[in-house]
Amino acid sequence: MILEINDLHADAEQRNVLKGVNLRVKEGELHVLMGPNGSGKTTLAKSIMGHPQVRITKGEIKADGKVINDLPVNERARLGLFLQFQNPIEIEGLGIVNFLNTARGALNKEKISYKEFMAEIRSRGESLRLREDLIGRSLNYGFSGGEKKKMEMLQMSILKPKLAILDEPDSGLDIDAVKVVAENINDIRKNTNAGVLLITHYSRILNYMEPGFIHVMSEGKIVREGGKELIEQIEREGYQIDGSK
Ligand SMILES: Nc1ncnc2c1ncn2[C@@H]1O[C@H](COP(=O)(O)OP(=O)(O)O)[C@@H](O)[C@H]1O
Ligand SMILES: [Mg+2]
């Protein structure tokens, strides 16, 4: 899938947050979006997925050439878009296996036997070092912050999106878990050729990944772009967002 964002302006709860964002993510590409707190990264992620809190006021979001500005969330998911939330919610009473099975069905994924399905969940859970008993629980219910992030990775592994937006999959994780999550993302990319837009605050996760494109957001716009060398520069100098560089 090619995701294309042209001159996107959007409000979050009546407040103008995005002020002209341009971005293009293609199949197989890994893009990293960085930037200070409150610069609009999560709002951009939500606008791509069609979150009701975000209202587009100008510009367009295209998936494979088709404008999806007004498409409901479930239809975007069916096109192959996936959003990992920065703060995943807990849903008591919604069993994880049941949830994943329903989600697969809603996305018209090929039918597989229960046995195969469980085997896939178990093997994915294992590679994420997710404790096996967690899979028997309600979605994210009583999970630690790190376990919730891993649970979202498990969903992505099972749903195999064409384009995944990962909103700080590394925040709140210890060093070992960051590596596990990074390796999981690499693995999914290799197996499915999905495009990935990875939002992160820290360059740590990027020690285990090879992003082709770095974008830095500030005050609702992408103000700097480059390759991996930009990360080292940001590490050294901070974001230095004055538009003159
Ligand atoms: N639902 C909302 N209601 C009110 N303000 C919001 C909402 N979502 C985001 N904002 C505001 O928009 C700005 C950008 O937020 P966000 O996109 O979460 O930034 P980031 O993810 O880069 O830290 C912030 O000033 C934030 O307070
Ligand atoms: Mg955010």
Side-chain angles (χ1 to χ4, degrees), residues 113-177:
S113 71
Y114 183 74
K115 212 173 137 191
E116 280 176 289
F117 182 52
M118 287 311 293
E120 189 178 4
I121 294 179
R122 280 207 196 89
S123 104
R124 282 301 176 172
E126 238 168 68
S127 65
L128 281 164
R129 318 248 203 296
L130 200 60
R131 264 194 5 253
E132 201 175 339
D133 65 288
L134 293 180
I135 290 163
R137 284 206 213 160
S138 293
L139 187 61
N140 294 329
Y141 193 67
F143 282 29
S144 71
E147 287 165 349
K148 285 181 189 171
K149 296 278 165 169
K150 288 185 173 182
M151 192 60 225
E152 299 261 303
M153 293 306 311
L154 181 69
Q155 284 171 41
M156 178 177 163
S157 311
I158 300 288
L159 300 179
K160 301 181 180 64
K162 291 191 179 137
L163 196 139
I165 305 152
L166 309 176
D167 196 354
E168 300 194 15
D170 51 347
S171 70
L173 296 186
D174 60 52
I175 295 171
D176 294 339

Side-chain angles (χ1 to χ4, degrees), residues 12-13 15 17 36-44 46 53 86:
E13 310 288 345
R15 215 173 135 260
V17 178
N37 278 319
S39 54
K41 304 180 298 297
T42 294
T43 304
L44 178 63
K46 286 178 173 171
Q53 275 169 3
Q86 186 173 354

Side-chain angles (χ1 to χ4, degrees), residues 203-214:
S203 55
R204 205 174 55 186
I205 192 171
L206 305 176
N207 292 335
Y208 311 105
M209 310 182 95
E210 283 302 323
F213 311 84
I214 311 293

